[in-house]
Amino acid sequence: MALIGLVRGSTDKQNTQRQHDALEPLCWKVFEEKISGELATDDRPDLLNALSYIRDGDLLTVQEVDRLGRNLLEGLIVLNDLFQRGIGVKVLEGIAAGEHTERSLILDLALALAEDRRRDIVRKTNNGLEAARKRGRVGGRRPVVDDDKRAAILARRQRGESIRTIAAGVKVSVGVVHKTLAAARSETEPAAAAADNPC
């Protein structure tokens, strides 16, 4: 009997490293699947590659049962399909840890709890972002251009430097220079319009 691993995650490698660390010491081979919008096993080529590699008696192995699907429905569809094909599943962690060859209450419960946990994380993240917005903070990446770089871009442009020269000198992309100049124009235009039309 061999263990054939399935890692599933986003395009970010860091998200799947923990799964690789858990599976690689135990598994004969590990397949990695990127998240897709498809529910059916036949529509998931990476999962099909793993299944085609499995021989009688081998087990498809995942770190946790929710790696088989993004939600309860998807996980149940995949489990049913695997069991109908005669393929057993080994789960390394969580309440469903162990070997499974048929649907069980513990597998269903593990998938339901995982979906509930994911929903809770999304809710808390959204609540945190909303609270930050109310305090005047906005989530997301920090801006590439701080006040000093912005001032340098505007001053260099006033001196007649090209956008490419400015980008190289300030060490930002050409697109960032364009955005900074456009933002500066949009700030000055309303002010100029107000000066031309005093009330």
Side-chain angles (χ1 to χ4, degrees):
M1 180 189 77
L3 303 181
I4 308 302
L6 179 69
V7 167
R8 190 173 192 211
S10 70
T11 55
D12 181 354
K13 283 285 186 188
Q14 193 173 9
N15 289 347
T16 61
Q17 190 56 54
R18 191 171 70 95
Q19 294 176 65
H20 279 285
D21 291 344
L23 294 170
E24 285 173 359
L26 305 172
C27 294
W28 182 259
K29 188 172 178 66
V30 175
F31 292 83
E32 181 164 343
E33 179 180 45
K34 300 303 180 190
I35 288 176
S36 70
E38 305 296 340
L39 293 179
T41 303
D42 286 335
D43 295 325
R44 292 168 57 179
D46 298 309
L47 177 56
L48 287 176
N49 287 339
L51 298 184
S52 68
Y53 196 84
I54 289 177
R55 302 292 171 256
D56 287 345
D58 292 350
L59 295 172
L60 183 68
T61 306
V62 290
Q63 185 183 20
E64 294 177 281
V65 72
D66 63 336
R67 296 294 92 201
L68 293 172
R70 294 171 302 171
N71 52 47
L72 176 61
L73 175 61
E74 187 173 325
L76 291 175
I77 288 171
V78 172
L79 280 172
N80 281 335
D81 194 10
L82 293 174
F83 296 148
Q84 284 176 5
R85 294 170 187 239
I87 296 171
V89 174
K90 183 176 178 71
V91 181
L92 299 182
E93 298 176 13
I95 62 169
E99 296 179 7
H100 305 273
T101 55
E102 59 184 21
R103 280 272 307 278
S104 67
L105 177 61
I106 199 72
L107 281 172
D108 294 1
L109 182 60
L111 286 167
L113 288 172
E115 182 175 353
D116 190 56
R117 185 174 64 229
R118 204 165 11 245
R119 232 188 338 253
D120 192 46
I121 289 168
V122 169
R123 182 180 55 77
K124 286 178 178 174
T125 300
N126 289 337
N127 289 346
L129 290 171
E130 182 60 32
R133 274 193 290 274
K134 286 179 181 174
R135 293 192 306 271
R137 294 177 56 199
V138 180
R141 294 170 54 186
R142 289 183 183 171
V144 175
V145 176
D146 58 19
D147 290 340
D148 291 338
K149 284 186 178 179
R150 183 178 184 277
I153 289 168
L154 297 178
R156 283 170 174 254
R157 190 59 172 171
Q158 272 192 321
R159 290 197 301 263
E161 290 186 19
S162 72
I163 287 177
R164 287 193 182 282
T165 304
I166 295 170
V170 183
K171 295 184 172 52
V172 294
S173 71
V174 169
V176 167
V177 175
H178 276 295
K179 284 181 186 173
T180 304
L181 295 173
R185 276 193 302 273
S186 68
E187 288 169 10
T188 57
E189 283 167 6
D196 291 340
N197 299 300
C199 294

